[in-house]
Amino acid sequence: MHGWVAEGAPGSKAVMICHSNKGNISHIASTIESLRALGYTVLAFDYSGFGKSNGIPSEQQLYEDASYMVAMLRQNYQAKDIILYGHGLGAPVATYVARRYGIPTLIIVSSFLSAKSIINNTVLRYISPLFSEFNILEYITGYKGRSLMIHSKDDEIVSYLSTSHLQSLVTTHIPSTGTNKDVVIPWDQVQRFIENKYTK
């Protein structure tokens, strides 16, 4: 597996990014730098079969890839000092491993509710039974940590209104602007959430 580590301030918390289904970690350089500018160490990686990582991607393989990276972080960080950050497809992946490993801080951006919720709105609906779920609603239900959801009201892939159920399940929800891929992230509010100082 291929990944990057951007060192933050000494003694900083670590943010692990699970990227979306488009591209690879080279396409999230600005996100990495924005989190690093807040003082955090950032770990980003390519799933199996993405970017420079070998292997064949599947739903379970993506979960295992992210689990492996969390297990690696746990060698040097306590769970309370790890933040999982998932964008798009990476949102259910991050949520899955946050629940599995008891990581208490989760950020999800531009998430869909399940793979089929997207596929069924396209010509791919005819073969949707072949696709697995990536069902974030299932994973976040019962999650014991704090969760921040950021979603654009202008999202052209996952409509903002369709995420109302997910909004009700997260700890904090911030509506934003921009596209699904390039949603505007209020980094000052993200930092306040990570440091448990967020107030509406």
Side-chain angles (χ1 to χ4, degrees):
M1 289 180 65
H2 174 248
W4 293 344
V5 175
E7 295 287 349
S12 64
K13 296 180 180 181
V15 181
M16 188 183 93
I17 301 177
C18 298
H19 66 74
S20 70
N21 61 309
K22 295 181 179 179
N24 54 63
I25 56 174
S26 68
H27 297 103
I28 58 170
S30 62
T31 300
I32 295 170
E33 184 52 39
S34 293
L35 287 164
R36 185 171 178 267
L38 296 178
Y40 304 117
T41 291
V42 184
L43 168 64
F45 66 98
D46 282 327
Y47 310 116
S48 296
F50 285 70
K52 295 182 180 180
S53 290
N54 297 324
I56 300 173
S58 68
E59 178 173 7
Q60 191 57 43
Q61 187 58 56
L62 268 59
Y63 296 149
E64 292 304 319
D65 292 344
S67 294
Y68 174 82
M69 289 295 178
V70 170
M72 186 175 67
L73 277 177
R74 288 289 283 115
Q75 295 177 22
N76 297 299
Y77 292 89
Q78 297 182 47
K80 67 180 181 64
D81 293 321
I82 297 173
I83 299 94
L84 294 183
Y85 181 109
H87 188 150
L89 178 74
V93 175
T95 305
Y96 175 93
V97 291
R99 182 170 176 175
R100 178 177 179 181
Y101 284 90
I103 304 301
T105 309
L106 171 68
I107 299 170
I108 55 175
V109 179
S110 299
S111 178
F112 51 79
L113 305 183
S114 70
K116 289 180 181 178
S117 71
I118 301 299
I119 293 166
N120 286 340
N121 292 323
T122 73
V123 294
L124 296 177
R125 64 185 180 276
Y126 300 111
I127 57 171
S128 64
L130 301 178
F131 286 75
S132 298
E133 279 298 315
F134 289 102
N135 194 326
I136 194 171
L137 295 175
E138 176 183 342
Y139 304 143
I140 204 163
T141 300
Y143 171 62
K144 303 301 183 183
R146 296 182 304 116
S147 49
L148 168 64
M149 173 184 173
I150 301 173
H151 205 98
S152 173
K153 289 188 173 182
D154 304 316
D155 193 310
E156 77 286 9
I157 296 176
V158 184
S159 75
Y160 181 79
L161 293 178
S162 74
T163 66
S164 59
H165 188 191
L166 183 56
Q167 293 172 30
S168 71
L169 296 174
V170 298
T171 307
T172 305
H173 163 240
I174 299 176
S176 188
T177 58
T179 64
N180 181 277
K181 179 178 178 291
D182 294 314
V183 61
V184 175
I185 305 295
W187 292 113
D188 58 331
Q189 296 181 59
V190 168
Q191 184 172 37
R192 290 202 300 272
F193 174 80
I194 290 174
E195 302 303 330
N196 206 10
K197 298 177 181 178
Y198 183 86
T199 56
K200 292 186 176 181

